[in-house]
Amino acid sequence: MRILLTGADGFTGREFIRTAAAAGHEIVELRSNLTHAPAVAREVSSLEFDSVVHLAAISFVGHSDDRAFYDVNLFGSLNLLEALKATRRPLRKVLVSSSANVYGNCEQAAPISEARMPAPVNHYAMSKLAMELMATARAADLPLVLTRPFNYTGPGQAPQFVIPKLVDHFRRRAPSVALGNLDVEREYNDVRFICEAYLRLLGAQAARGTYNVCTGVTHSFSAVIGMLAALTGHRIDVQIDPAFVRENEVRRLCGDPSRLQNAVGPLPLHRLEDTLSWMLSAPQ
């Protein structure tokens, strides 16, 4: 495949390029600012590709500019899809990355399937759900695949995310770390798992629609801290900083991977301990 990729310089984009190249595919990087529709249209029309992976987004929930979520995640995606439609080019797949945050706080029985009604509780998730609805309106014109990845991590993830923040503190053997909400439980999957799932969805013959990209395996903050302590031999004092406490925190996110597995088959899994070890040993 010759894959048009947005967000190539981002955390997931860099790993996706490695995964795709190892599988023999070619990456074509889209360089235009997605918020500039004419530039996006010009560049898309000038490039040759047969598949698309759209990763570019503002992905940090605590980002300070609420409007930017919509400018980039919604309207930037709209500009891309409109440009793709205008080319009238036959495409294998157009994979658009959304987020499991669209589910919000799910108090009902876990794991969460794609049939669960979205209930976003912050602007990041709201912008992603709005993007999904906008994209679905164009599904008749484009071979659309929407993905809802649950939390994932790996080397190179920005330090404002909690796992790389913890890894950095343990690597430096810092005496303490300031965190926000501790009563949360998340999947902390490996970025390599996410990228392999995306690549498999591109190649799956029947795969269209919406897919959770998840394992169904969750961990608490205390479990993650315990793993890092065991890996480094370092103990750390955890302090609660009100500045990091989010009012609309999603308390638990655990996904049902059945639909994904039915579409692409078994995926290679990575234990969280192995991912944390990989992050601890990665070059700075």
Side-chain angles (χ1 to χ4, degrees), residues 95-99 132 145-149 198 201 209-211 213:
L95 186 148
V96 177
S97 180
S98 181
S99 170
E132 287 189 19
V145 177
L146 288 168
T147 61
R148 292 173 176 169
Y198 287 176
L201 283 168
T210 302
Y211 292 85
V213 182

Side-chain angles (χ1 to χ4, degrees), residues 188-211:
Y188 292 114
N189 298 317
D190 193 295
V191 65
R192 293 169 292 188
F193 163 80
I194 301 294
C195 293
E196 180 64 28
Y198 287 176
L199 200 58
R200 296 267 197 100
L201 283 168
L202 286 182
Q205 192 69 23
R208 290 202 189 185
T210 302
Y211 292 85

Side-chain angles (χ1 to χ4, degrees), residues 69-191:
F69 285 122
Y70 301 94
D71 289 341
V72 176
N73 297 352
L74 172 57
F75 294 110
S77 299
L78 173 62
N79 292 339
L80 174 66
L81 295 184
E82 290 295 294
L84 292 171
K85 178 183 173 182
T87 67
R88 301 182 182 273
R89 181 177 301 161
L91 297 170
R92 295 167 59 104
K93 295 280 172 53
V94 177
L95 186 148
V96 177
S97 180
S98 181
S99 170
N101 269 271
V102 301
Y103 293 117
N105 283 313
C106 295
E107 300 299 340
Q108 301 99 327
I112 302 165
S113 78
E114 294 86 350
R116 182 70 58 84
M117 183 69 69
V121 298
N122 53 55
H123 283 292
Y124 166 68
M126 291 172 192
S127 72
K128 285 291 192 176
L129 181 57
M131 179 202 69
E132 287 189 19
L133 295 171
M134 175 276 298
T136 301
R138 283 148 181 80
D141 303 305
L142 297 168
L144 191 67
V145 177
L146 288 168
T147 61
R148 292 173 176 169
F150 285 64
N151 290 58
Y152 60 95
T153 192
Q157 189 176 32
Q160 66 259 41
F161 291 91
V162 67
I163 300 299
K165 176 179 178 177
L166 284 170
V167 167
D168 175 66
H169 277 67
F170 274 92
R171 183 192 290 113
R172 294 187 289 105
R173 307 184 78 82
S176 64
V177 60
L179 297 174
N181 306 71
L182 293 183
D183 58 338
V184 297
E185 192 172 329
R186 296 282 188 273
E187 293 193 25
Y188 292 114
N189 298 317
D190 193 295
V191 65

Side-chain angles (χ1 to χ4, degrees), residues 8-41:
D9 292 334
F11 163 57
T12 312
R14 293 191 297 270
E15 189 58 41
F16 183 80
I17 290 171
R18 287 189 284 268
T19 302
H25 304 293
E26 184 177 353
I27 295 294
V28 179
E29 299 179 14
L30 186 74
R31 288 298 173 184
S32 298
N33 184 331
L34 288 179
T35 64
H36 297 158
V40 173

